[in-house]
Amino acid sequence: MTADQWTRVDQYIDELFVGADPVLEAALEASHAAGLPQIAVSPTQGKLLYVLAKAVGARRILELGTLGGYSTIWMARALPPGGRLITLELDEKHAKVARENFSRAGVSGVVDLRVGPALALLPLLGGDGPFDLIFIDADKGGYTEYLSWAIRLSRVGTLIIADNVVRDGKVADPNSTDANVQGIRRFNDALAREGRVSATEIQTVGAKGYDGFAAIVVGSTGSTGSTGSAGS
Ligand SMILES: C[S@@+](CC[C@H](N)C(=O)[O-])C[C@H]1O[C@@H](n2cnc3c(N)ncnc32)[C@H](O)[C@@H]1O
């Protein structure tokens, strides 16, 4: 299998299960035109976030790392009437593009975009939770602390998804000097030791290359037997 093949299969899945979506395509185009890095989730991954939000009946969603709001729009579309999504973004330039994309997508009324370092904004969210779905997709060095905050802002049954946990397979190399890999390895170690959750990770390939998601459910330890020191 090659990266070209992954991309072709992603396009095939995309045509079947995502299809033409002018609003989301415009969000990506506007992000690109504004010079934002092209590191949004892929269309099929965005649809997965939508499906997961629907599956857990998410009314309150928290996202760490907005970029141009591509994944935000996917999740916001899954909200029921009265639902709300808070998304945290460090960079005002990214936030400005995201706001325009939210407006074009008709989700500005349900999306609350907060600008600043996630670690400064998370302690202010106590009154907004507990969240039903939390998507961690900001700087990889912060993932371990984001996990702690995500659990603190959860209820039993909250689903936490963290992106980019495989990083081209480099995550399996304990000697990697890549700061992002080290950040994810610290996160993985903390997650494996965390006794309040059940978790696993899935490798992904596709148009965005080779990476992976962590899937974490809060407060369900012991339900599937022990697979590690977390006892879940
Ligand atoms: C991978 S991108 C997010 C992609 C977006 N979730 C999507 O799929 O469309 C990561 C974003 O996190 C932001 N970020 C980086 N460090 C951050 C921090 N400390 N707090 C909040 N956001 C941060 C970056 O500016 C960037 O826009």
Side-chain angles (χ1 to χ4, degrees), residues 168-184:
D168 263 325
K170 296 188 188 105
V171 74
D173 176 6
N175 301 316
S176 172
T177 54
D178 181 321
N180 289 326
V181 172
Q182 290 176 350
I184 294 297

PDB file of all heavy atoms in Angstrom, residues 168-184:
ATOM      1  N   ASP A 168       2.770   9.104  11.827  1.00  0.00           N
ATOM      2  CA  ASP A 168       3.576   8.345  10.856  1.00  0.00           C
ATOM      3  C   ASP A 168       4.261   7.142  11.483  1.00  0.00           C
ATOM      4  O   ASP A 168       5.296   6.686  10.977  1.00  0.00           O
ATOM      5  CB  ASP A 168       4.656   9.249  10.237  1.00  0.00           C
ATOM      6  CG  ASP A 168       4.218   9.813   8.905  1.00  0.00           C
ATOM      7  OD1 ASP A 168       3.521   9.088   8.170  1.00  0.00           O
ATOM      8  OD2 ASP A 168       4.562  10.968   8.616  1.00  0.00           O
ATOM      9  N   GLY A 169       3.748   6.666  12.576  1.00  0.00           N
ATOM     10  CA  GLY A 169       4.337   5.504  13.254  1.00  0.00           C
ATOM     11  C   GLY A 169       5.477   5.863  14.185  1.00  0.00           C
ATOM     12  O   GLY A 169       5.967   5.004  14.930  1.00  0.00           O
ATOM     13  N   LYS A 170       5.867   7.115  14.191  1.00  0.00           N
ATOM     14  CA  LYS A 170       7.032   7.505  15.009  1.00  0.00           C
ATOM     15  C   LYS A 170       6.736   7.369  16.501  1.00  0.00           C
ATOM     16  O   LYS A 170       7.659   7.322  17.324  1.00  0.00           O
ATOM     17  CB  LYS A 170       7.430   8.954  14.707  1.00  0.00           C
ATOM     18  CG  LYS A 170       7.905   9.176  13.282  1.00  0.00           C
ATOM     19  CD  LYS A 170       8.456  10.593  13.122  1.00  0.00           C
ATOM     20  CE  LYS A 170       8.754  10.912  11.672  1.00  0.00           C
ATOM     21  NZ  LYS A 170       7.785  11.805  11.043  1.00  0.00           N
ATOM     22  N   VAL A 171       5.461   7.293  16.845  1.00  0.00           N
ATOM     23  CA  VAL A 171       5.094   7.211  18.260  1.00  0.00           C
ATOM     24  C   VAL A 171       5.633   5.941  18.928  1.00  0.00           C
ATOM     25  O   VAL A 171       5.809   5.903  20.152  1.00  0.00           O
ATOM     26  CB  VAL A 171       3.556   7.328  18.402  1.00  0.00           C
ATOM     27  CG1 VAL A 171       2.867   6.047  17.964  1.00  0.00           C
ATOM     28  CG2 VAL A 171       3.158   7.711  19.805  1.00  0.00           C
ATOM     29  N   ALA A 172       5.905   4.923  18.105  1.00  0.00           N
ATOM     30  CA  ALA A 172       6.402   3.662  18.678  1.00  0.00           C
ATOM     31  C   ALA A 172       7.902   3.713  18.953  1.00  0.00           C
ATOM     32  O   ALA A 172       8.468   2.740  19.460  1.00  0.00           O
ATOM     33  CB  ALA A 172       6.071   2.501  17.734  1.00  0.00           C
ATOM     34  N   ASP A 173       8.539   4.829  18.614  1.00  0.00           N
ATOM     35  CA  ASP A 173       9.994   4.946  18.810  1.00  0.00           C
ATOM     36  C   ASP A 173      10.306   5.698  20.105  1.00  0.00           C
ATOM     37  O   ASP A 173      10.170   6.925  20.168  1.00  0.00           O
ATOM     38  CB  ASP A 173      10.595   5.693  17.610  1.00  0.00           C
ATOM     39  CG  ASP A 173      12.090   5.933  17.776  1.00  0.00           C
ATOM     40  OD1 ASP A 173      12.671   5.429  18.761  1.00  0.00           O
ATOM     41  OD2 ASP A 173      12.664   6.641  16.925  1.00  0.00           O
ATOM     42  N   PRO A 174      10.740   4.976  21.130  1.00  0.00           N
ATOM     43  CA  PRO A 174      11.005   5.652  22.423  1.00  0.00           C
ATOM     44  C   PRO A 174      12.172   6.628  22.345  1.00  0.00           C
ATOM     45  O   PRO A 174      12.323   7.477  23.217  1.00  0.00           O
ATOM     46  CB  PRO A 174      11.312   4.500  23.379  1.00  0.00           C
ATOM     47  CG  PRO A 174      11.666   3.343  22.520  1.00  0.00           C
ATOM     48  CD  PRO A 174      11.026   3.545  21.175  1.00  0.00           C
ATOM     49  N   ASN A 175      12.998   6.509  21.308  1.00  0.00           N
ATOM     50  CA  ASN A 175      14.173   7.393  21.186  1.00  0.00           C
ATOM     51  C   ASN A 175      13.923   8.596  20.282  1.00  0.00           C
ATOM     52  O   ASN A 175      14.857   9.362  20.014  1.00  0.00           O
ATOM     53  CB  ASN A 175      15.367   6.599  20.650  1.00  0.00           C
ATOM     54  CG  ASN A 175      15.719   5.444  21.568  1.00  0.00           C
ATOM     55  OD1 ASN A 175      15.744   5.621  22.784  1.00  0.00           O
ATOM     56  ND2 ASN A 175      15.934   4.267  21.000  1.00  0.00           N
ATOM     57  N   SER A 176      12.694   8.756  19.822  1.00  0.00           N
ATOM     58  CA  SER A 176      12.411   9.883  18.937  1.00  0.00           C
ATOM     59  C   SER A 176      12.726  11.202  19.657  1.00  0.00           C
ATOM     60  O   SER A 176      12.388  11.383  20.831  1.00  0.00           O
ATOM     61  CB  SER A 176      10.939   9.876  18.522  1.00  0.00           C
ATOM     62  OG  SER A 176      10.646  11.061  17.823  1.00  0.00           O
ATOM     63  N   THR A 177      13.359  12.115  18.922  1.00  0.00           N
ATOM     64  CA  THR A 177      13.671  13.425  19.501  1.00  0.00           C
ATOM     65  C   THR A 177      12.661  14.480  19.061  1.00  0.00           C
ATOM     66  O   THR A 177      12.782  15.646  19.424  1.00  0.00           O
ATOM     67  CB  THR A 177      15.083  13.876  19.068  1.00  0.00           C
ATOM     68  OG1 THR A 177      15.148  13.813  17.634  1.00  0.00           O
ATOM     69  CG2 THR A 177      16.156  12.982  19.668  1.00  0.00           C
ATOM     70  N   ASP A 178      11.665  14.060  18.272  1.00  0.00           N
ATOM     71  CA  ASP A 178      10.619  14.966  17.790  1.00  0.00           C
ATOM     72  C   ASP A 178       9.745  15.383  18.979  1.00  0.00           C
ATOM     73  O   ASP A 178       9.166  14.543  19.667  1.00  0.00           O
ATOM     74  CB  ASP A 178       9.807  14.204  16.728  1.00  0.00           C
ATOM     75  CG  ASP A 178       8.693  15.041  16.133  1.00  0.00           C
ATOM     76  OD1 ASP A 178       8.046  15.803  16.880  1.00  0.00           O
ATOM     77  OD2 ASP A 178       8.456  14.915  14.914  1.00  0.00           O
ATOM     78  N   ALA A 179       9.638  16.700  19.200  1.00  0.00           N
ATOM     79  CA  ALA A 179       8.900  17.193  20.369  1.00  0.00           C
ATOM     80  C   ALA A 179       7.422  16.784  20.317  1.00  0.00           C
ATOM     81  O   ALA A 179       6.813  16.500  21.358  1.00  0.00           O
ATOM     82  CB  ALA A 179       9.018  18.715  20.447  1.00  0.00           C
ATOM     83  N   ASN A 180       6.851  16.736  19.108  1.00  0.00           N
ATOM     84  CA  ASN A 180       5.440  16.340  18.999  1.00  0.00           C
ATOM     85  C   ASN A 180       5.259  14.869  19.350  1.00  0.00           C
ATOM     86  O   ASN A 180       4.294  14.486  20.026  1.00  0.00           O
ATOM     87  CB  ASN A 180       4.928  16.605  17.577  1.00  0.00           C
ATOM     88  CG  ASN A 180       4.782  18.083  17.306  1.00  0.00           C
ATOM     89  OD1 ASN A 180       4.440  18.858  18.196  1.00  0.00           O
ATOM     90  ND2 ASN A 180       5.052  18.489  16.074  1.00  0.00           N
ATOM     91  N   VAL A 181       6.206  14.044  18.883  1.00  0.00           N
ATOM     92  CA  VAL A 181       6.157  12.607  19.211  1.00  0.00           C
ATOM     93  C   VAL A 181       6.306  12.430  20.728  1.00  0.00           C
ATOM     94  O   VAL A 181       5.569  11.658  21.349  1.00  0.00           O
ATOM     95  CB  VAL A 181       7.255  11.838  18.450  1.00  0.00           C
ATOM     96  CG1 VAL A 181       7.348  10.399  18.936  1.00  0.00           C
ATOM     97  CG2 VAL A 181       6.996  11.881  16.946  1.00  0.00           C
ATOM     98  N   GLN A 182       7.237  13.159  21.306  1.00  0.00           N
ATOM     99  CA  GLN A 182       7.429  13.049  22.756  1.00  0.00           C
ATOM    100  C   GLN A 182       6.162  13.471  23.509  1.00  0.00           C
ATOM    101  O   GLN A 182       5.778  12.857  24.501  1.00  0.00           O
ATOM    102  CB  GLN A 182       8.628  13.894  23.189  1.00  0.00           C
ATOM    103  CG  GLN A 182       9.956  13.313  22.713  1.00  0.00           C
ATOM    104  CD  GLN A 182      11.133  14.206  23.053  1.00  0.00           C
ATOM    105  OE1 GLN A 182      10.970  15.353  23.484  1.00  0.00           O
ATOM    106  NE2 GLN A 182      12.337  13.697  22.843  1.00  0.00           N
ATOM    107  N   GLY A 183       5.519  14.530  23.002  1.00  0.00           N
ATOM    108  CA  GLY A 183       4.271  14.995  23.632  1.00  0.00           C
ATOM    109  C   GLY A 183       3.205  13.925  23.585  1.00  0.00           C
ATOM    110  O   GLY A 183       2.501  13.674  24.574  1.00  0.00           O
ATOM    111  N   ILE A 184       3.088  13.263  22.426  1.00  0.00           N
ATOM    112  CA  ILE A 184       2.078  12.207  22.290  1.00  0.00           C
ATOM    113  C   ILE A 184       2.456  11.001  23.145  1.00  0.00           C
ATOM    114  O   ILE A 184       1.586  10.366  23.754  1.00  0.00           O
ATOM    115  CB  ILE A 184       1.911  11.794  20.809  1.00  0.00           C
ATOM    116  CG1 ILE A 184       1.318  12.957  19.999  1.00  0.00           C
ATOM    117  CG2 ILE A 184       1.051  10.551  20.678  1.00  0.00           C
ATOM    118  CD1 ILE A 184      -0.078  13.383  20.408  1.00  0.00           C
TER     119      ILE A 184
END
